[in-house]
Amino acid sequence: MVFSYGVQVNFLDPIDGGDSLLERVAFLGCYEPRHCGIATFTHDLCEAVSEYSPELQCCAGAMNDLRDGYPYPSRVSFEILDKDLESYRRAADFLNFRNIDVLCLQHEFGIFGGPAGSHILALLKRIRMPVVTTLHTVLREPNADQRRVMDELIERSARLVVMARKGAEILTEIYRVDAAKIDVIPHGIPQSNLVKPEDYKQKLGMEGKRVLLTFGLLGPGKGIEYAIEAMPEIVKRHPDVVYLVLGATHPHLVAREGESYRLGLECLAERCGVSGNVVFDNRFLADGELSDFIAAADVYVTPYLNEAQITSGTLAHVFGAGNAVVSTPYWHACELLENDRGILVPFRDSNSIAEAVCQFLDHPERLERARGESYELGRQSVWPAVAERYLQSFQMVQSERKNRRSEKAVPAFVASSSGWSQHLPSRRLDHIVRMSDGTGIFQHATHNVPNFHEGYCTDDNARAFILCNFLEESRDMDGLATSYLAFLAAALNSETGRFRNFMSHGRQWLEEAGSEDSHGRALWALGVGVGRSTNDGHRQLCMQLFNGGMESVSNFTSPRAWAFALLGGYEFLQGHEGNAEVGAMCETLAEKLIQIWRDCATEDWPWFEASITYDNARLCQALIQNGRMMDHEDSLEIGIKSLKWLASVQKTQAGHFRPIGSNGFHPKGGFRAEFDQQPVESHAMVAACLDAFRATQDPYWLGEAKRAFDWFLGKNDLGVSVYDPHTGGCGDGLHHDRVSANQGAESSLAFHLSLAEMLRAERTEFLTTSFS
């Protein structure tokens, strides 16, 4: 048990052992040299944890309010532009790729973009590690947007840290948070000795003065005008008093109003006749110089105007350094100064401020007692002690995560130390490059040679564009991605809102409109571009094309077209959360899929149609995505149930994957075709099973994903590899007696998309790779 200001806080004991549970921690908030309290806190916490636990790998992410950012130190590994939703997605991908064990998030509504800072939720939805969130503001009466953001933030955080008991009280009473999820950890402060102010006054040229101090970024909420109005009475009783107002005006206030607030305070001091006793120092000071001013102060004054201030870094700093404090009764001050450790005064009451300051100056023994008590209690708040408590909280969530996983029956290939890495072939994209030209990717191949006679199609260029965006080295694929996207742009007939599908080698369209499925697949690819592309131009064009082709889908009758468009819609929303039109499209298409399931499914045929045909698992995957993204229980239940049945139908007694054959498919009540087996079926199953795992955390689905992927590598009815590691291509199908010798775009892309999905799962879902 650890106690903070008399509050019992539960922590795990430090975790020892050969297997270090905690290796990599990321801290996200504003960061120095940006001038704000959150930036200072994030920097100091990150450095304190790193110093306390040198073996731990710590990195930081910085929130930018300026497009050009700041000259950050090397500790900052990634940056987020507050108003740019896409940068939150990129940051999430970075955290997943680096296999961060725990993310420590600093939350203040105003530092993130979107209504009530909602952009941060896009990152939290995408990351794969537990989050410990430090709440710098806890509102008793949030507005609707703040409550929505807060509820989701709480749900997506493994633990919540507040710096005062009042914060924990509000979380339990207003937000119904389990008290066991909350840690009360004080605001960290630098280590210092209790010194005599006279020793530092001479250093700063204030010898012989009684020094009052307020420091921090200036703004109207600080109430400094009330302290200045108290000065005439204080000076009347103690003519040697100097009130030092130390700190730069808040940069956001300067951007809006210039220095009008500071100039107003200076004019007020002049009108009150105390301009010679009030000194303004318009600087943002580093800890070393700031400590000298704190040490020189006799009394610290915090006349803040907002009762709901749950934490004050400046108050914590001076209190822990051993200063006597006069403060208005905002929540943090009430806790620190209870039991007569300081003097509380009413809000906006200059007379009370004057009387309280004089109480200390008139009675030196009371001032010294307050200094000693505050310094003694402040030892709980020095950064090494705070770092230890944060580490215990991090270790707790990491241990809980490990325990949850160990409670489940983990497939052998996951439990093994080698994971999938020894089973997955290395990526070889030679054949994809060989099949592509400046127009796009060719449909077919004769053996491993592109077949010009068959030309191009939207289906395959959509698949190829998705692959480029799935690869972590997608910038190296930028040229190919541009060609594939240009093909999709040309395929959209702006007059009809429909995508054409087939194009001859001479670049002539062979139809006015392609199939509904090809249209849905084009939207899927464009949604991926909006949600995942690192190329700004690609994202903007994808958004434009998606909007141009979206309206037609509502009239489609193909369930697969609905599913493809639905998958694309949710990719789109990853990049542009809250888009009402895309959200409405997704809701409509999901309801269509749910309805055909209800119309067709029976106990012994839990399927969407009267026949199992092609790209089957995509129907399940679309509903799983809908259930996961929209918290739609029925959708998730149907998606999981139908996928589990499909997995059982496509598994042989010997235990390997056998997709439904294309020579007749599998009608209800009839015979199922065992050949030809198509690579797209294996790919669809891989992707759907991995999404099922992400939705349920059931390791069964990892096993099914691997079973489907192994079909490419020889665990199939013929015991031969469908993928050719020498060319990087994949056979067009498995016949009853051989693998197809032709390596067309659809099949080769199916393999490489499956490999990309498997590698991503290995990297982000359950295995550990290096931090570098």
Side-chain angles (χ1 to χ4, degrees):
M1 299 292 185
V2 178
F3 291 82
S4 172
Y5 305 141
V7 180
Q8 181 172 306
V9 184
N10 292 307
F11 293 106
L12 291 182
D13 292 330
I15 299 173
D16 299 318
D19 295 328
S20 176
L21 282 175
L22 196 62
E23 297 180 8
R24 293 167 289 273
V25 175
F27 298 82
L28 175 57
C30 305
Y31 210 85
E32 292 185 348
R34 180 174 172 178
H35 291 172
C36 75
I38 302 289
T40 302
F41 183 90
T42 310
H43 168 272
D44 291 349
L45 176 61
C46 181
E47 293 303 317
V49 169
S50 180
E51 185 173 337
Y52 188 88
S53 183
E55 73 283 358
L56 188 65
Q57 299 177 59
C58 296
C59 71
M63 294 301 308
N64 286 331
D65 58 344
L66 302 175
R67 183 163 292 277
D68 293 335
Y70 298 85
Y72 293 115
S74 59
R75 180 77 73 187
V76 174
S77 300
F78 64 99
E79 301 173 31
I80 298 175
L81 183 60
D82 55 4
K83 301 296 192 296
D84 179 16
L85 187 59
E86 172 63 19
S87 66
Y88 291 82
R89 184 197 66 78
R90 290 195 297 268
D93 290 345
F94 171 86
L95 292 167
N96 290 335
F97 181 71
R98 296 287 291 269
N99 281 298
I100 299 299
D101 293 317
V102 175
L103 172 64
C104 182
L105 173 67
Q106 308 309 308
H107 183 264
E108 173 66 67
F109 291 105
I111 69 173
F112 306 112
S118 60
H119 280 6
I120 189 59
L121 301 178
L123 179 145
L124 296 180
K125 290 175 182 177
R126 199 176 184 94
I127 58 175
R128 306 299 181 199
M129 72 288 306
V131 181
V132 174
T133 299
T134 302
L135 298 171
H136 291 259
T137 294
V138 184
L139 299 175
R140 178 177 283 280
E141 298 179 352
N143 62 33
D145 284 334
Q146 291 166 338
R147 182 63 192 244
R148 177 181 62 83
V149 170
M150 194 70 172
D151 285 343
E152 186 158 354
L153 178 67
I154 289 167
E155 181 181 351
R156 293 184 180 278
S157 298
R159 299 200 69 74
L160 301 169
V161 177
V162 291
M163 304 181 208
R165 296 192 308 271
K166 187 69 174 182
E169 175 187 308
I170 295 172
L171 286 175
T172 55
E173 292 182 3
I174 305 300
Y175 297 93
R176 303 301 180 190
V177 179
D178 185 347
K181 185 176 179 175
I182 304 168
D183 296 326
V184 180
I185 304 177
H187 194 296
I189 62 172
Q191 296 198 76
S192 62
N193 297 317
L194 185 60
V195 299
K196 295 181 179 180
E198 287 71 22
D199 296 340
Y200 285 83
K201 289 176 183 178
Q202 185 173 7
K203 179 179 179 181
L204 298 174
M206 293 186 290
E207 62 269 29
K209 301 292 184 181
R210 308 302 295 273
V211 179
L212 312 181
L213 174 66
T214 295
F215 83 87
L217 292 173
L218 264 63
K222 297 300 176 70
I224 293 170
E225 57 270 28
Y226 295 97
I228 292 175
E229 289 175 349
M231 282 298 290
E233 179 62 26
I234 297 171
V235 171
K236 179 179 176 182
R237 295 165 63 172
H238 296 277
D240 57 349
V241 162
V242 172
Y243 179 31
L244 178 58
V245 181
L246 179 62
T249 308
H250 198 291
H252 290 176
L253 185 62
V254 171
R256 292 195 309 269
E257 304 174 10
E259 289 287 1
S260 59
Y261 179 68
R262 178 184 298 276
L263 292 173
L265 294 177
E266 292 176 356
C267 290
L268 177 61
E270 211 168 305
R271 289 199 306 272
C272 292
V274 293
S275 58
N277 300 84
V278 179
V279 178
F280 293 90
D281 192 335
N282 186 9
R283 292 184 294 161
F284 188 91
L285 300 182
D287 278 347
E289 191 174 2
L290 178 60
S291 295
D292 289 347
F293 282 96
I294 293 173
D298 294 288
V299 179
Y300 186 73
V301 183
T302 66
Y304 298 168
L305 305 180
N306 180 15
E307 181 190 28
Q309 185 159 346
I310 202 68
T311 183
S312 168
T314 58
L315 175 61
H317 192 160
V318 297
F319 181 85
N323 285 82
V325 177
V326 171
S327 177
T328 49
Y330 56 91
W331 291 336
H332 193 196
C334 287
E335 291 188 18
L336 278 185
L337 304 184
E338 65 187 2
N339 299 323
D340 204 31
R341 288 192 289 260
I343 301 177
L344 295 172
V345 298
F347 294 105
R348 298 177 170 84
D349 191 333
S350 300
N351 292 331
S352 294
I353 293 174
E355 181 60 31
V357 169
C358 289
Q359 280 284 321
F360 278 132
L361 299 183
D362 290 344
H363 302 93
E365 72 285 352
R366 181 175 183 183
L367 187 149
E368 288 302 315
R369 185 177 73 251
R371 293 182 73 237
E373 289 178 357
S374 62
Y375 180 81
E376 183 65 28
L377 187 60
R379 296 317 88 205
Q380 296 184 22
S381 303
V382 294
W383 275 116
V386 169
E388 180 182 19
R389 297 182 192 184
Y390 269 91
L391 277 167
Q392 290 170 332
S393 190
F394 299 160
Q395 290 166 329
M396 176 181 284
V397 300
Q398 184 72 347
S399 177
E400 289 172 349
R401 187 186 193 199
K402 180 181 179 182
N403 290 340
R404 283 196 302 271
R405 286 176 171 176
S406 64
E407 287 171 1
K408 297 178 179 180
V410 181
F413 68 92
V414 178
S416 70
S417 60
S418 61
W420 286 348
S421 57
Q422 291 186 1
H423 303 280
L424 298 179
S426 58
R427 182 178 290 131
R428 181 172 182 175
L429 298 172
D430 308 44
H431 189 60
I432 301 301
V433 174
R434 185 165 50 244
M435 289 286 290
S436 304
D437 66 2
T439 300
I441 192 167
F442 290 100
Q443 282 191 79
H444 297 296
T446 304
H447 299 286
N448 62 339
V449 178
N451 184 341
F452 291 174
H453 297 292
E454 301 294 339
Y456 317 85
C457 70
T458 292
D459 276 318
D460 290 337
N461 279 276
R463 293 182 177 104
F465 185 65
I466 291 173
L467 176 64
C468 290
N469 285 284
F470 272 19
L471 300 180
E472 61 267 23
E473 63 270 26
S474 58
R475 290 188 183 276
D476 299 332
M477 303 287 289
D478 204 57
L480 286 175
T482 299
S483 296
Y484 305 144
L485 179 56
F487 187 97
L488 296 178
L492 179 62
N493 185 331
S494 58
E495 294 180 0
T496 64
R498 288 293 304 271
F499 286 93
R500 292 163 287 210
N501 194 13
F502 297 111
M503 174 188 277
S504 71
H505 185 229
R507 298 189 181 183
Q508 297 296 312
W509 290 109
L510 304 179
E511 57 193 350
E512 287 299 314
S515 66
E516 291 184 0
D517 288 3
S518 67
H519 188 107
R521 190 172 280 107
L523 288 180
W524 182 5
L526 296 169
V528 169
V530 173
R532 297 180 187 242
S533 177
T534 58
N535 183 310
D536 289 338
H538 286 188
R539 286 199 308 277
Q540 294 301 318
L541 179 56
C542 285
M543 195 181 312
Q544 177 184 329
L545 296 172
F546 193 100
N547 290 331
M550 179 172 60
E551 186 176 348
S552 300
V553 180
S554 61
N555 298 318
F556 286 176
T557 59
S558 165
R560 280 155 192 78
W562 301 339
F564 299 157
L566 189 58
L567 291 169
Y570 284 126
E571 290 281 354
F572 185 109
L573 292 173
Q574 290 295 309
H576 281 268
E577 183 184 20
N579 185 294
E581 291 79 8
V582 177
M585 180 200 77
C586 290
E587 183 178 355
T588 298
L589 297 180
E591 286 301 322
K592 286 176 178 284
L593 284 173
I594 290 171
Q595 189 58 52
I596 64 168
W597 156 272
R598 289 173 174 159
D599 291 343
C600 184
T602 62
E603 193 64 33
D604 60 347
W605 186 265
W607 193 242
F608 302 84
E609 303 166 300
S611 182
I612 309 174
T613 56
Y614 63 95
D615 244 349
N616 297 297
R618 298 301 184 187
L619 304 177
C620 318
Q621 184 186 6
L623 287 186
I624 290 169
Q625 281 270 35
N626 181 65
R628 180 168 169 246
M629 297 288 291
M630 305 304 291
D631 294 324
H632 195 303
E633 292 183 7
D634 286 351
S635 180
L636 181 60
E637 181 181 350
I638 292 170
I640 293 296
K641 183 175 182 178
S642 57
L643 185 62
K644 187 165 284 191
W645 180 74
L646 182 64
S648 69
V649 169
Q650 297 189 122
K651 182 166 62 177
T652 67
Q653 289 185 342
H656 61 258
F657 181 69
R658 176 189 288 161
I660 301 298
S662 61
N663 294 338
F665 299 120
H666 183 8
K668 181 179 181 180
F671 294 103
R672 64 164 285 170
E674 296 188 354
F675 297 98
D676 293 337
Q677 297 175 18
Q678 300 295 312
V680 290
E681 300 304 323
S682 293
H683 172 220
M685 199 66 183
V686 167
C689 289
L690 291 176
D691 270 350
F693 171 74
R694 294 177 187 116
T696 65
Q697 294 297 298
D698 185 348
Y700 163 82
W701 293 114
L702 296 177
E704 291 305 309
K706 185 174 185 297
R707 189 191 315 279
F709 183 79
D710 284 348
W711 177 90
F712 288 104
L713 306 181
K715 291 188 177 180
N716 51 48
D717 283 332
L718 299 189
V720 296
S721 180
V722 187
Y723 168 64
D724 184 347
H726 302 293
T727 66
C730 179
D732 280 345
L734 192 68
H735 303 298
H736 73 279
D737 58 348
R738 70 190 188 285
V739 175
S740 172
N742 299 328
Q743 298 176 354
E746 177 186 290
S747 301
S748 297
L749 288 166
F751 170 78
H752 286 290
L753 283 163
S754 299
L755 179 59
E757 298 248 25
M758 295 289 281
L759 288 170
R760 176 187 172 218
E762 179 184 53
R763 189 174 66 246
T764 63
E765 304 301 342
F766 53 87
L767 296 176
T768 301
T769 59
S770 68
F771 190 64
S772 58

